[in-house]
């Protein structure tokens, strides 16, 4: 874990153990397995920079083999699982609930009260079937059968985020759609349904997104981490797209932040004001040259690469990173997870 201070905090950043891509044979193998278990497309391409790994190929292979197991899964989903007993060390106090149906290759989940009944619901994006499944909560830890909404325009959802984009208390949805290189916005109706999808095109496929007030103007915008699929003719690689919100649920044409030379394979983007200037910055994390790196908000829709919090190295293959004040000292910290079961 690396600690990232705000402007008034004293520096306390751990020295990164790596600064590039894992080079050992074991590291390359573990990284390749992680990439092949990470869905990015229904027709993924081999990545030469990752020893020919094909993103999500393991998941897609398992899906092709699953047809004969459908009935068994349905029967299993109808049988209540035993609840964990108090003091169970295996589950750390989490109670198991009856299984519920799921879609094909779930990629992301968001929670919220989507029908405004005071009970928590959740929505799952399914990458292979290109749809969203809404599970309305009963308020007792159980959920109704899902309401399935096919995406009308975008292809291959890989990430979800939710917020009240119109500041009216109604939750809306934002979807990162990899195979169409688009961001889809679905405005909520407040009753568990959503309006038609509005699309915004990107120069490269989105991998992750985060919603925040990036201009500090009371209006929410969307920051998107992109994967590099086609190497551009110049040495400027598109890393981050910012869709500026107008407060009504509409967004401007994305503003692109470029990084010279290195392709992007980021899996996660998180936001937070790490330098105390009032503008949310972002943390990009992935198994490639992006490492886990802070990008500072310039206030004009662009971001500048800052400090590497943790680098991919011989014993690190980074998968996820988040920002938060984990020790209660008023300074934002970065928590980074890697494939070697470390945080």
């Amino acid at each position: 874990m690396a600690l990232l201070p705000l402007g008034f905090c004293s520096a306390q950043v751990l020295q990164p153990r790596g600064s590039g891509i894992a080079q050992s044979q074991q590291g390359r193998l573990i990284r390749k397995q992680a990439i092949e278990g990470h869905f990015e497309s229904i027709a993924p391409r081999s990545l030469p920079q990752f020893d020919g790994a094909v993103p999500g190929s393991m998941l897609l292979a398992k899906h092709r083999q699953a047809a004969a197991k459908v009935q068994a899964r349905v029967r299993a989903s109808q049988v209540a699982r035993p609840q964990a007993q108090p003091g169970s060390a295996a589950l750390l106090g989490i109670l198991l609930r009856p299984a519920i149906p799921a879609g094909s290759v779930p990629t992301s989940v968001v929670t919220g009260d989507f029908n405004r009944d005071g009970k928590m619901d959740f929505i799952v994006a399914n990458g292979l079937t290109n749809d969203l499944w809404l599970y309305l909560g009963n308020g007792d830890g159980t959920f109704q059968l899902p309401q399935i909404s096919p995406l009308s325009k975008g292809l291959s959802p890989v990430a979800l985020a939710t917020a009240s984009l119109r500041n009216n208390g109604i939750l809306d949805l934002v979807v990162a759609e990899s195979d169409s290189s688009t961001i889809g916005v679905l405005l909520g109706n407040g009753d568990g349904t959503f309006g038609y999808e509005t699309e915004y095109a990107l120069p490269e496929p989105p991998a992750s997104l985060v919603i925040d007030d990036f201009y500090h103007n009371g209006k929410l915008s969307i920051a998107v981490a992109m994967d590099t699929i086609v190497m551009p003719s110049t040495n400027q690689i598109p890393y981050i797209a910012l869709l500026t919100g107008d407060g009504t649920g509409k967004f401007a044409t994305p503003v692109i932040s470029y990084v010279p030379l290195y392709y992007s394979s980021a899996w996660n983007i998180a936001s937070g004001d790490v330098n105390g200037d009032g503008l949310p910055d972002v943390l990009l994390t992935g198994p490639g040259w992006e490492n886990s790196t802070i990008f500072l908000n310039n206030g004009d829709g662009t971001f500048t690469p800052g400090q590497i919090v943790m680098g991919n190295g011989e014993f690190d293959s980074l998968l996820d990173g988040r920002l938060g004040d984990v020790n209660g000292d008023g300074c934002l910290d970065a928590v980074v997870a890697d494939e070697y079961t470390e945080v």
Side-chain angles (χ1 to χ4, degrees):
M1 181 180 72
L3 301 179
L4 295 176
L6 296 176
F8 54 83
C9 300
S10 60
Q12 191 179 3
V13 180
L14 299 184
Q15 180 67 30
R17 287 178 290 180
S19 58
I21 299 177
Q23 296 297 322
S24 70
Q25 182 176 0
Q26 180 185 15
R28 292 197 304 268
L29 177 61
I30 293 177
R31 185 189 62 213
K32 184 177 181 181
Q33 292 173 342
I35 291 170
E36 292 181 343
H38 180 76
F39 179 85
E40 293 183 9
S41 170
I42 60 174
R45 305 179 184 184
S46 174
L47 302 178
Q49 66 268 31
F50 292 128
D51 300 308
V54 180
S57 59
M58 181 179 66
L59 296 177
L60 296 175
K62 287 183 177 180
H63 177 76
R64 289 191 291 266
Q65 299 168 2
K69 301 178 182 179
V70 171
Q71 291 302 320
R73 289 180 59 192
V74 172
R75 289 193 297 270
S77 71
Q78 297 171 345
V79 178
R81 300 180 182 179
Q83 293 186 353
Q85 298 300 316
S88 170
L91 295 171
L92 300 177
I94 297 177
L95 301 180
L96 292 177
R97 296 294 186 183
I100 53 180
S104 296
V105 190
T107 57
S108 185
V109 60
V110 290
T111 60
D113 184 5
F114 295 103
N115 60 350
R116 297 192 296 174
D117 64 353
K119 302 170 184 177
M120 191 61 68
D121 317 306
F122 69 95
I123 296 176
V124 177
N126 298 294
L128 200 57
T129 48
N130 205 56
D131 51 27
L132 306 175
W133 289 30
L134 167 64
Y135 300 80
L136 295 176
N138 297 318
D140 59 359
T142 65
F143 296 86
Q144 301 174 28
L145 291 176
Q147 300 177 16
I148 302 175
S149 299
L151 289 172
S152 59
K153 295 181 179 180
L155 299 174
S156 303
V158 293
L160 284 177
T162 184
S164 180
L165 301 175
R166 298 160 290 175
N167 198 28
N168 60 359
I170 298 175
L171 290 177
D172 309 303
L173 277 181
V174 182
V175 190
E177 301 157 333
S178 178
D179 278 330
S180 53
S181 293
T182 52
I183 295 298
V185 176
L186 296 88
L187 299 180
N189 297 319
D191 57 0
T193 64
F194 296 86
Y196 291 109
E197 179 183 4
T198 300
E199 278 194 326
Y200 298 88
L202 301 175
E204 292 279 12
S208 183
L209 56 86
V210 64
I211 301 172
D212 210 332
D213 184 0
F214 288 102
Y215 293 93
H216 196 60
N217 61 0
K219 301 173 183 178
L220 295 177
S221 299
I222 306 166
V224 184
M226 294 178 288
D227 282 337
T228 304
I229 300 299
V230 179
M231 293 298 293
S233 57
T234 68
N235 66 350
Q236 296 295 311
I237 311 298
Y239 260 55
I240 301 171
L242 187 70
L243 286 72
T244 302
D246 66 0
T248 69
K250 298 179 181 179
F251 296 85
T253 300
V255 178
I256 308 301
S257 296
Y258 297 88
V259 174
L261 300 179
Y262 299 123
Y263 57 82
S264 171
S265 54
W267 284 5
N268 178 257
I269 184 171
S271 65
D273 181 9
V274 303
N275 59 356
D277 65 355
L279 298 174
D281 310 296
V282 295
L283 173 69
L284 255 65
T285 304
W289 288 107
E290 67 283 334
N291 300 293
S292 186
T293 302
I294 287 292
F295 284 73
L296 297 175
N297 189 344
N298 297 320
D300 60 359
T302 65
F303 297 83
T304 299
Q307 182 170 352
I308 296 177
V309 174
M310 193 170 186
N312 287 293
E314 184 176 1
F315 300 105
D316 296 294
S317 188
L318 307 180
L319 305 181
D320 201 350
R322 307 287 167 162
L323 294 172
D325 183 6
V326 299
N327 58 356
D329 65 352
C331 303
L332 279 185
D333 309 308
V335 182
V336 181
D338 67 19
E339 179 66 13
Y340 287 82
T341 67
E342 294 182 349
V343 175

